[in-house]
Structure formats: structure tokens, C-alpha cells
Amino acid sequence: MLATYLTGDPTDRPPLLIVHGLFGSARNWNVIAKRLSDERQVIGVDMRNHGDSAFQPTHTYPDMAADLAQVITAHGGRADVLGHSMGGKAAMMLALTRPEMVNRLVVADIAPVAYGHSQSHLIDAMRAVDLSRVETRRDADDQLSAAVPEAGVRAFLLQSLDVKGKRWRLNHDVLDRDMGKATGWPEGVEGRFDGPVFMLSGAESDYVRPEYRDAIKGYFPKARFAKIPGAGHWLHADKPREFEAAVRAFLNA
């Protein structure tokens, strides 16, 4: 099963499962998890090929949804689910294939469509770091800076670096090979989730465009849409208090 991290105690409410995005981990969500755990137990996971979860030979959304179903089964069989980016697609796939497991669904800044961009250049940058010369995170940051000029992106990637172990907690080979599957959306996906769905986006992000609404509504007829002003794709990091308030209001509606 995926590496799983529990915050807070079980209550009479469904637990909240938080699903991170590409190159992320459960630890990216520790602050949000802790704050939301005042009302329900929060389950964080490292997705396959990320963090402390097992490195697997594939990285597809049906596989990721099955992983999440296994976690929910181990924690009562039903949960509210919050997924960001890649994690949002995995959460949507779970809701479409195992709707009985999902109580309420929050999808953060992603749509069930194929995107044309690739993040393989970031994998190339991480692979290029000479780990034998890394004694501190700053050493790795200095090496990354030429290929990844954005300090925030470097800081995010470096959360997956095990400095003492001189290894990345990311399965670069499989993530690179299956990048098109991670940025895409499988063809022929059927099913419909009739439960409550909250499509929460960053107002400065273009990941959830108006032209995607028909596809979203086809899968999720009860989807509601909202944007957080001043937030980009990493909306939970850009505006954490606003993100938390919006998620909390939806879960408690």
C-alpha cells in the first residue's frame, strides 16, 4: 500500500484523503492537513513512484486510482478526497471508477483533459545534479539553478531529495517514460460521479479553462467552480488560508 500518514483522530465524519501532485509528496501538505484535522482525520499519501511509496513499473491514472482505493478500504471504505494537479486527476479517476468510495471530491487546479506540456525538463535537471558533491540542500540548489531559474520550483523539487542518502525520492525513469500519461487523460474513460464536486482553481492559472467545462460536467454533473484570487497552479501554497477556508466550507456544506 502507499506510504500513508494520519493527522488527527477518527471522527463521525468521513476522513479526508489528500492526494499530491507530480514530484510532490504528503509532506507538501502537512500544514493544510494539520489545520483541517481539527474536524476530521486527514490521510496523506505518497503516490506511487514518489516519496516513501514503492517505485512501480507503471504510472497511469487507473493504477493510481486503484492505489487510492486500497488506502480508503484500509480506513473505513469511504472518504472525502482532495487532489491537486496529478493527484486531482487520480482522485477524479477514483470517483469515476469507484464512486461508492468518494463522499465529496475537491479537485485543485486541474481538469479531466490531456495537457500538451511536459515536465520532463525538470527530471533532466534533477538527474543532472551530481549527488556525490551534495552535502547540503544548498549544494543541490546551486547545481539546479542553471536549469531551473525559479527559486520556488527548485525548493519544491528539493523537498524530494534525500541529502543524507544521496538519492531522489522520485522514480525518474518511470515518471519520464510515462510523462505523457501523467499530463494526459486516458481515452475512453466512462462513468459519472453524481456526488458533490468542487473544482477549485488559482485565478492566475490557466489549467481549468472555460472550454473544459463541458468535459467536467459530463463526468461530474454537480461540479461547482471557484477561483482563488492571486493564486497560481500551486494555489494551496500561494494562498494557504484562503485555500483552507474554501475547502473547509465545501466539506462542511
Side-chain angles (χ1 to χ4, degrees), residues 154-173:
R154 293 199 306 274
F156 170 68
L157 296 177
L158 288 170
Q159 290 186 50
S160 292
L161 177 62
D162 176 2
V163 175
K164 290 185 177 179
K166 295 188 181 297
R167 59 180 286 269
W168 292 95
R169 295 188 181 94
L170 296 166
N171 188 349
H172 288 147
D173 291 346

Side-chain angles (χ1 to χ4, degrees), residues 175-215:
L175 293 175
D176 192 18
R177 190 199 68 208
D178 283 359
M179 181 61 65
K181 295 175 181 176
T183 59
W185 180 251
E187 293 184 7
V189 175
E190 298 180 353
R192 193 173 85 163
F193 178 71
D194 290 315
V197 177
F198 191 27
M199 305 294 295
L200 183 59
S201 304
E204 296 180 1
S205 170
D206 64 353
Y207 274 70
V208 183
R209 300 178 180 177
E211 57 264 34
Y212 299 158
R213 288 205 175 199
D214 286 347

Side-chain angles (χ1 to χ4, degrees), residues 69-149:
Q70 188 179 34
V71 172
I72 293 175
T73 297
H75 291 88
R78 189 169 170 87
D80 293 322
V81 183
L82 160 61
H84 172 247
S85 199
M86 178 195 78
K89 284 186 172 180
M92 286 188 282
M93 184 65 72
L94 172 69
L96 293 171
T97 55
R98 299 296 301 273
E100 75 282 0
M101 289 191 155
V102 180
N103 184 52
R104 286 175 169 262
L105 175 63
V106 181
V107 180
D109 211 64
I110 202 72
V113 301
Y115 293 85
H117 60 262
S118 170
Q119 302 296 338
S120 287
H121 65 288
L122 296 177
I123 293 178
D124 292 340
M126 287 184 277
R127 281 172 163 162
V129 173
D130 182 355
L131 295 175
S132 69
R133 296 193 294 115
V134 171
E135 299 298 332
T136 67
R137 208 164 295 274
R138 178 62 183 271
D139 294 336
D141 186 68
D142 288 343
Q143 291 190 50
L144 273 177
S145 61
V148 185

